[in-house]
Amino acid sequence: MHDQADQPASPPTDNPHTWQARYWNSAATAPWVSLQTRLDELLAPLTRVALDRAAPGPGEQVLDVGCGCGDTTLALAHRVSASGRVEGVDISAQMLARARERVAAGDFPQVGLTLADASSHAFEPAVFDLIFSRVGVMFFGDPVAAFANLRRALRPSGRLVFVCCRTAAENGYITAAVRAALPLLPAGAVPVPGPDQPGMFSFADPARVRRILEGAGFSEVELTAHDEPMRLAGPGGAADAADFSIQFGPLTRVLDEVAPALRSEILAAITETYRQLEGPEGVVLPGAFWIVAARP
Ligand SMILES: C[S@@+](CC[C@H](N)C(=O)[O-])C[C@H]1O[C@@H](n2cnc3c(N)ncnc32)[C@H](O)[C@@H]1O
Protein backbone atom coordinates (compact mmCIF):
# COMPACT_ATOMS: atom_id res chain seq x y z
CA MET A 1 0.00 0.00 0.00
CA HIS A 2 1.17 3.52 -0.71
CA ASP A 3 0.43 6.45 1.53
CA GLN A 4 -0.95 9.69 0.11
CA ALA A 5 2.44 11.16 -0.65
CA ASP A 6 3.23 8.09 -2.69
CA GLN A 7 0.47 8.74 -5.20
CA PRO A 8 0.13 12.45 -5.70
CA ALA A 9 0.33 13.21 -9.34
CA SER A 10 -3.13 12.67 -10.60
CA PRO A 11 -6.57 12.58 -9.07
CA PRO A 12 -9.01 9.71 -9.13
CA THR A 13 -11.63 9.61 -11.81
CA ASP A 14 -14.90 7.80 -12.33
CA ASN A 15 -14.89 8.32 -16.08
CA PRO A 16 -11.22 8.33 -17.07
CA HIS A 17 -11.79 9.15 -20.71
CA THR A 18 -13.75 12.40 -20.32
CA TRP A 19 -12.00 13.29 -17.09
CA GLN A 20 -8.58 13.12 -18.74
CA ALA A 21 -9.69 15.25 -21.68
CA ARG A 22 -11.03 17.87 -19.28
CA TYR A 23 -8.00 17.72 -17.00
CA TRP A 24 -5.40 18.18 -19.76
CA ASN A 25 -7.38 21.13 -21.15
CA SER A 26 -7.87 22.82 -17.77
CA ALA A 27 -6.15 25.57 -15.79
CA ALA A 28 -4.63 22.84 -13.60
CA THR A 29 -2.36 21.74 -16.44
CA ALA A 30 -1.76 25.20 -17.96
CA PRO A 31 1.70 25.36 -16.27
CA TRP A 32 2.80 22.59 -18.64
CA VAL A 33 2.58 25.37 -21.23
CA SER A 34 3.70 28.43 -19.23
CA LEU A 35 6.68 26.54 -17.74
CA GLN A 36 7.41 24.50 -20.86
CA THR A 37 11.03 25.62 -21.26
CA ARG A 38 11.89 24.81 -17.66
CA LEU A 39 10.12 21.44 -17.81
CA ASP A 40 11.93 20.52 -20.99
CA GLU A 41 15.25 21.40 -19.34
CA LEU A 42 14.34 19.29 -16.32
CA LEU A 43 13.45 16.35 -18.55
CA ALA A 44 16.32 16.78 -21.03
CA PRO A 45 18.70 14.11 -19.65
CA LEU A 46 15.85 11.58 -19.53
CA THR A 47 14.79 12.53 -23.04
CA ARG A 48 18.27 11.80 -24.40
CA VAL A 49 18.27 8.32 -22.82
CA ALA A 50 14.82 7.50 -24.19
CA LEU A 51 15.62 8.79 -27.67
CA ASP A 52 18.86 6.83 -27.75
CA ARG A 53 16.92 3.68 -26.84
CA ALA A 54 14.30 4.39 -29.51
CA ALA A 55 17.03 5.20 -32.06
CA PRO A 56 14.88 6.99 -34.66
CA GLY A 57 16.76 7.09 -37.93
CA PRO A 58 16.63 9.26 -41.06
CA GLY A 59 13.57 8.59 -43.17
CA GLU A 60 11.58 6.88 -40.41
CA GLN A 61 7.91 7.56 -39.65
CA VAL A 62 7.31 8.22 -35.95
CA LEU A 63 4.25 8.77 -33.79
CA ASP A 64 4.83 10.81 -30.59
CA VAL A 65 1.98 9.96 -28.21
CA GLY A 66 0.89 12.58 -25.68
CA CYS A 67 3.41 14.90 -27.32
CA GLY A 68 2.37 17.85 -25.16
CA CYS A 69 4.21 21.05 -26.08
CA GLY A 70 6.25 19.22 -28.70
CA ASP A 71 9.72 18.95 -27.20
CA THR A 72 10.18 15.29 -28.12
CA THR A 73 8.32 15.78 -31.41
CA LEU A 74 10.98 18.28 -32.47
CA ALA A 75 13.83 16.12 -31.19
CA LEU A 76 12.42 13.19 -33.16
CA ALA A 77 12.06 15.42 -36.23
CA HIS A 78 15.77 16.25 -36.10
CA ARG A 79 16.62 12.58 -35.95
CA VAL A 80 14.34 11.40 -38.77
CA SER A 81 15.44 14.43 -40.84
CA ALA A 82 13.46 15.94 -43.71
CA SER A 83 13.06 12.53 -45.37
CA GLY A 84 11.13 11.18 -42.38
CA ARG A 85 7.88 12.13 -40.69
CA VAL A 86 6.85 12.74 -37.10
CA GLU A 87 3.22 12.89 -36.08
CA GLY A 88 2.52 14.30 -32.62
CA VAL A 89 -0.82 13.49 -31.05
CA ASP A 90 -2.24 14.99 -27.89
CA ILE A 91 -5.59 15.42 -26.20
CA SER A 92 -4.69 18.88 -24.84
CA ALA A 93 -5.53 21.84 -27.09
CA GLN A 94 -3.50 24.23 -24.94
CA MET A 95 -0.36 22.09 -25.07
CA LEU A 96 -0.75 21.32 -28.75
CA ALA A 97 -1.12 25.05 -29.48
CA ARG A 98 2.32 25.58 -27.92
CA ALA A 99 3.69 22.69 -29.97
CA ARG A 100 2.27 24.28 -33.12
CA GLU A 101 4.01 27.57 -32.32
CA ARG A 102 7.32 25.78 -31.90
CA VAL A 103 6.93 23.84 -35.13
CA ALA A 104 6.00 27.03 -36.98
CA ALA A 105 9.03 28.84 -35.51
CA GLY A 106 11.40 26.29 -37.04
CA ASP A 107 11.72 24.55 -40.34
CA PHE A 108 9.86 21.30 -39.78
CA PRO A 109 7.91 20.23 -42.87
CA GLN A 110 8.21 16.65 -41.63
CA VAL A 111 6.08 17.33 -38.51
CA GLY A 112 2.33 16.97 -38.21
CA LEU A 113 0.28 17.58 -35.06
CA THR A 114 -3.14 16.16 -34.29
CA LEU A 115 -5.50 17.05 -31.47
CA ALA A 116 -7.03 13.69 -30.59
CA ASP A 117 -7.41 11.00 -27.98
CA ALA A 118 -4.63 8.59 -28.89
CA SER A 119 -6.50 5.71 -27.26
CA SER A 120 -9.23 5.74 -29.89
CA HIS A 121 -8.04 7.92 -32.77
CA ALA A 122 -8.24 6.17 -36.16
CA PHE A 123 -4.55 6.29 -37.11
CA GLU A 124 -3.58 5.09 -40.54
CA PRO A 125 -2.86 1.37 -40.06
CA ALA A 126 0.66 -0.07 -40.18
CA VAL A 127 2.51 3.11 -41.14
CA PHE A 128 4.80 3.98 -38.23
CA ASP A 129 8.29 2.58 -37.70
CA LEU A 130 8.32 3.87 -34.13
CA ILE A 131 5.75 4.85 -31.57
CA PHE A 132 7.39 6.98 -28.90
CA SER A 133 6.24 8.74 -25.75
CA ARG A 134 7.82 10.72 -22.95
CA VAL A 135 5.52 10.21 -19.93
CA GLY A 136 2.43 10.49 -22.12
CA VAL A 137 0.91 7.00 -22.02
CA MET A 138 -0.03 6.50 -18.35
CA PHE A 139 -3.35 8.31 -18.58
CA PHE A 140 -5.53 6.02 -20.70
CA GLY A 141 -8.85 4.96 -19.16
CA ASP A 142 -8.61 1.55 -20.85
CA PRO A 143 -4.88 1.05 -21.43
CA VAL A 144 -5.17 -2.34 -23.13
CA ALA A 145 -7.60 -0.98 -25.72
CA ALA A 146 -5.46 2.15 -26.12
CA PHE A 147 -2.24 0.22 -26.76
CA ALA A 148 -4.08 -2.15 -29.10
CA ASN A 149 -5.18 0.92 -31.04
CA LEU A 150 -1.60 2.22 -31.14
CA ARG A 151 -0.24 -1.20 -32.15
CA ARG A 152 -2.44 -1.20 -35.26
CA ALA A 153 -0.62 1.96 -36.40
CA LEU A 154 2.79 0.25 -36.24
CA ARG A 155 4.41 -1.53 -39.14
CA PRO A 156 4.99 -5.23 -38.38
CA SER A 157 8.73 -4.39 -38.24
CA GLY A 158 8.14 -1.37 -36.00
CA ARG A 159 8.81 -0.75 -32.32
CA LEU A 160 7.23 0.94 -29.34
CA VAL A 161 9.48 2.86 -26.93
CA PHE A 162 8.24 5.00 -24.08
CA VAL A 163 9.29 6.43 -20.74
CA CYS A 164 7.07 6.19 -17.69
CA CYS A 165 7.58 6.78 -13.97
CA ARG A 166 8.41 4.07 -11.48
CA THR A 167 6.86 4.35 -8.00
CA ALA A 168 5.97 7.61 -6.33
CA ALA A 169 8.22 6.67 -3.42
CA GLU A 170 11.19 6.50 -5.80
CA ASN A 171 10.34 9.82 -7.47
CA GLY A 172 11.19 12.36 -4.79
CA TYR A 173 11.37 15.06 -7.43
CA ILE A 174 7.58 14.86 -7.63
CA THR A 175 6.60 13.56 -4.20
CA ALA A 176 8.86 15.42 -1.74
CA ALA A 177 6.64 18.49 -2.09
CA VAL A 178 3.49 16.51 -1.40
CA ARG A 179 5.07 14.85 1.61
CA ALA A 180 5.99 18.25 3.01
CA ALA A 181 2.47 19.61 2.40
CA LEU A 182 0.43 16.69 3.72
CA PRO A 183 0.80 17.32 7.48
CA LEU A 184 -0.68 20.79 6.97
CA LEU A 185 -3.69 19.61 4.98
CA PRO A 186 -6.90 17.88 6.10
CA ALA A 187 -6.92 14.10 5.67
CA GLY A 188 -7.93 13.14 2.13
CA ALA A 189 -7.22 16.61 0.69
CA VAL A 190 -4.80 15.16 -1.84
CA PRO A 191 -6.60 12.62 -4.03
CA VAL A 192 -4.97 9.22 -4.42
CA PRO A 193 -5.75 7.25 -7.58
CA GLY A 194 -6.15 3.50 -7.25
CA PRO A 195 -3.42 1.26 -8.72
CA ASP A 196 -5.36 0.68 -11.94
CA GLN A 197 -6.49 4.28 -12.41
CA PRO A 198 -4.78 6.65 -14.82
CA GLY A 199 -2.05 8.78 -13.32
CA MET A 200 1.64 9.64 -13.27
CA PHE A 201 2.49 6.45 -11.34
CA SER A 202 0.01 4.05 -12.93
CA PHE A 203 2.81 2.26 -14.84
CA ALA A 204 5.07 1.86 -11.82
CA ASP A 205 4.40 -1.87 -11.51
CA PRO A 206 6.37 -3.67 -14.23
CA ALA A 207 4.02 -6.67 -14.12
CA ARG A 208 1.09 -4.37 -14.88
CA VAL A 209 2.94 -2.76 -17.80
CA ARG A 210 3.67 -6.22 -19.24
CA ARG A 211 0.04 -7.30 -18.74
CA ILE A 212 -1.21 -4.20 -20.54
CA LEU A 213 1.21 -4.43 -23.46
CA GLU A 214 0.88 -8.20 -23.92
CA GLY A 215 -2.91 -7.83 -23.56
CA ALA A 216 -2.75 -5.30 -26.40
CA GLY A 217 -0.84 -7.78 -28.58
CA PHE A 218 2.74 -6.52 -28.09
CA SER A 219 5.61 -8.95 -27.63
CA GLU A 220 9.28 -8.78 -26.59
CA VAL A 221 8.30 -6.37 -23.82
CA GLU A 222 11.42 -5.03 -22.12
CA LEU A 223 11.52 -2.69 -19.12
CA THR A 224 14.81 -1.06 -18.23
CA ALA A 225 15.03 0.83 -14.95
CA HIS A 226 16.62 4.22 -15.36
CA ASP A 227 17.47 6.53 -12.45
CA GLU A 228 17.89 10.17 -13.29
CA PRO A 229 18.73 12.88 -10.73
CA MET A 230 16.22 15.66 -11.41
CA ARG A 231 17.45 19.21 -10.92
CA LEU A 232 14.52 21.31 -9.70
CA ALA A 233 16.71 24.38 -9.07
CA GLY A 234 20.34 25.45 -8.72
CA PRO A 235 22.20 26.23 -5.48
CA GLY A 236 20.19 28.48 -3.16
CA GLY A 237 17.07 27.78 -5.20
CA ALA A 238 14.88 26.01 -2.61
CA ALA A 239 12.14 28.68 -2.69
CA ASP A 240 12.22 28.77 -6.46
CA ALA A 241 11.98 24.96 -6.64
CA ALA A 242 9.02 25.01 -4.25
CA ASP A 243 7.26 27.60 -6.34
CA PHE A 244 7.92 25.50 -9.45
CA SER A 245 6.81 22.17 -8.03
CA ILE A 246 3.46 23.38 -6.71
CA GLN A 247 2.46 24.18 -10.30
CA PHE A 248 2.07 20.47 -11.09
CA GLY A 249 -0.05 17.57 -9.91
CA PRO A 250 -2.82 17.63 -7.31
CA LEU A 251 -1.13 20.20 -5.07
CA THR A 252 -1.98 22.86 -7.64
CA ARG A 253 -5.68 22.25 -7.24
CA VAL A 254 -5.48 21.82 -3.48
CA LEU A 255 -3.52 25.03 -3.00
CA ASP A 256 -5.92 26.96 -5.21
CA GLU A 257 -8.67 26.15 -2.74
CA VAL A 258 -7.01 26.80 0.63
CA ALA A 259 -6.83 30.13 2.50
CA PRO A 260 -3.87 32.33 1.51
CA ALA A 261 -2.26 31.96 4.98
CA LEU A 262 -2.30 28.17 4.74
CA ARG A 263 -0.99 28.32 1.19
CA SER A 264 1.98 30.39 2.40
CA GLU A 265 2.56 27.96 5.26
CA ILE A 266 2.60 25.02 2.85
CA LEU A 267 4.92 26.79 0.45
CA ALA A 268 7.27 27.55 3.38
CA ALA A 269 7.19 23.87 4.44
CA ILE A 270 8.07 22.71 0.93
CA THR A 271 10.84 25.30 0.71
CA GLU A 272 12.26 24.11 4.03
CA THR A 273 12.16 20.47 2.85
CA TYR A 274 14.01 21.41 -0.32
CA ARG A 275 16.52 23.47 1.69
CA GLN A 276 17.31 20.39 3.76
CA LEU A 277 17.62 18.22 0.66
CA GLU A 278 19.76 20.72 -1.24
CA GLY A 279 23.24 19.60 -2.26
CA PRO A 280 26.17 21.29 -3.97
CA GLU A 281 24.37 21.18 -7.34
CA GLY A 282 21.19 22.66 -5.89
CA VAL A 283 17.82 20.97 -5.38
CA VAL A 284 18.44 17.69 -7.18
CA LEU A 285 16.01 14.94 -6.25
CA PRO A 286 15.65 11.32 -7.35
CA GLY A 287 13.77 10.48 -10.51
CA ALA A 288 13.04 6.84 -11.29
CA PHE A 289 11.74 5.71 -14.66
CA TRP A 290 11.12 2.70 -16.84
CA ILE A 291 12.28 2.83 -20.41
CA VAL A 292 9.84 0.43 -21.99
CA ALA A 293 10.32 -1.18 -25.39
CA ALA A 294 8.13 -3.68 -27.24
CA ARG A 295 7.42 -5.13 -30.68
CA PRO A 296 3.99 -5.21 -32.35
C1 LIG B 1 2.80 14.30 -18.42
S1 LIG B 1 2.33 15.09 -19.90
C2 LIG B 1 3.72 14.79 -20.95
C3 LIG B 1 3.75 15.67 -22.15
C4 LIG B 1 4.98 15.49 -23.07
N1 LIG B 1 5.08 14.14 -23.58
C5 LIG B 1 6.24 15.90 -22.34
O1 LIG B 1 7.04 15.01 -21.98
O2 LIG B 1 6.43 17.11 -22.11
C6 LIG B 1 1.15 13.92 -20.53
C7 LIG B 1 0.59 14.29 -21.86
O3 LIG B 1 -0.27 13.24 -22.30
C8 LIG B 1 -1.40 13.83 -22.92
N2 LIG B 1 -2.50 12.86 -22.90
C9 LIG B 1 -3.12 12.33 -21.83
N3 LIG B 1 -4.07 11.46 -22.23
C10 LIG B 1 -4.02 11.43 -23.59
C11 LIG B 1 -4.77 10.74 -24.59
N4 LIG B 1 -5.72 9.88 -24.28
N5 LIG B 1 -4.47 10.96 -25.88
C12 LIG B 1 -3.49 11.85 -26.24
N6 LIG B 1 -2.77 12.53 -25.32
C13 LIG B 1 -3.02 12.32 -24.03
C14 LIG B 1 -1.65 15.07 -22.10
O4 LIG B 1 -2.47 16.02 -22.74
C15 LIG B 1 -0.23 15.56 -21.87
O5 LIG B 1 0.20 16.39 -22.91
Side-chain angles (χ1 to χ4, degrees):
M1 279 295 284
H2 294 302
D3 65 18
Q4 285 201 343
D6 281 348
Q7 291 282 345
S10 134
T13 156
D14 50 357
N15 180 342
H17 175 84
T18 43
W19 196 94
Q20 288 295 325
R22 220 175 29 245
Y23 176 65
W24 289 105
N25 285 289
S26 70
T29 50
W32 278 90
V33 180
S34 55
L35 294 170
Q36 167 254 312
T37 308
R38 187 161 174 182
L39 273 170
D40 288 341
E41 278 169 18
L42 176 72
L43 294 168
L46 176 67
T47 307
R48 278 192 289 276
V49 172
L51 285 172
D52 287 348
R53 176 66 182 86
E60 285 200 310
Q61 313 252 333
V62 183
L63 178 65
D64 187 7
V65 178
C67 66
C69 297
D71 192 53
T72 50
T73 313
L74 298 184
L76 288 160
H78 282 295
R79 296 205 185 199
V80 302
S81 77
S83 61
R85 175 168 78 107
V86 184
E87 199 57 49
V89 61
D90 204 285
I91 203 169
S92 166
Q94 57 189 355
M95 289 168 78
L96 211 64
R98 179 75 191 109
R100 285 193 206 288
E101 282 170 13
R102 296 171 81 189
V103 169
D107 181 22
F108 295 106
Q110 71 274 44
V111 173
L113 295 167
T114 303
L115 179 64
D117 183 337
S119 67
S120 54
H121 182 68
F123 296 105
E124 214 181 313
V127 290
F128 293 108
D129 301 292
L130 168 65
I131 294 185
F132 181 86
S133 183
R134 181 178 83 180
V135 295
V137 291
M138 303 92 82
F139 309 98
F140 299 132
D142 181 345
V144 173
F147 276 99
N149 187 49
L150 293 173
R151 191 174 68 85
R152 281 189 286 276
L154 268 179
R155 288 195 171 137
S157 59
R159 65 225 185 260
L160 167 76
V161 177
F162 65 82
V163 189
C164 59
C165 294
R166 302 207 316 268
T167 62
E170 292 168 286
N171 278 289
Y173 89 100
I174 300 176
T175 47
V178 184
R179 281 187 190 286
L182 275 184
L184 299 167
L185 287 165
V190 179
V192 184
D196 286 339
Q197 285 181 312
M200 209 57 161
F201 303 109
S202 66
F203 276 26
D205 175 5
R208 179 168 192 258
V209 176
R210 275 180 199 286
R211 263 197 318 276
I212 289 171
L213 293 182
E214 288 170 2
F218 283 95
S219 59
E220 299 178 47
V221 177
E222 231 182 71
L223 287 94
T224 308
H226 176 75
D227 295 321
E228 187 69 60
M230 304 295 277
R231 191 169 182 269
L232 291 177
D240 175 48
D243 206 39
F244 176 65
S245 57
I246 61 164
Q247 310 295 325
F248 303 96
L251 272 188
T252 318
R253 291 182 301 279
V254 174
L255 295 186
D256 276 352
E257 284 162 19
V258 301
L262 179 54
R263 190 179 196 282
S264 304
E265 211 185 323
I266 290 170
L267 198 56
I270 299 171
T271 302
E272 184 48 33
T273 294
Y274 284 164
R275 205 164 272 139
Q276 286 169 16
L277 293 170
E278 198 181 320
E281 301 295 319
V283 184
V284 183
L285 300 184
F289 305 91
W290 293 119
I291 310 284
V292 182
R295 296 278 178 190

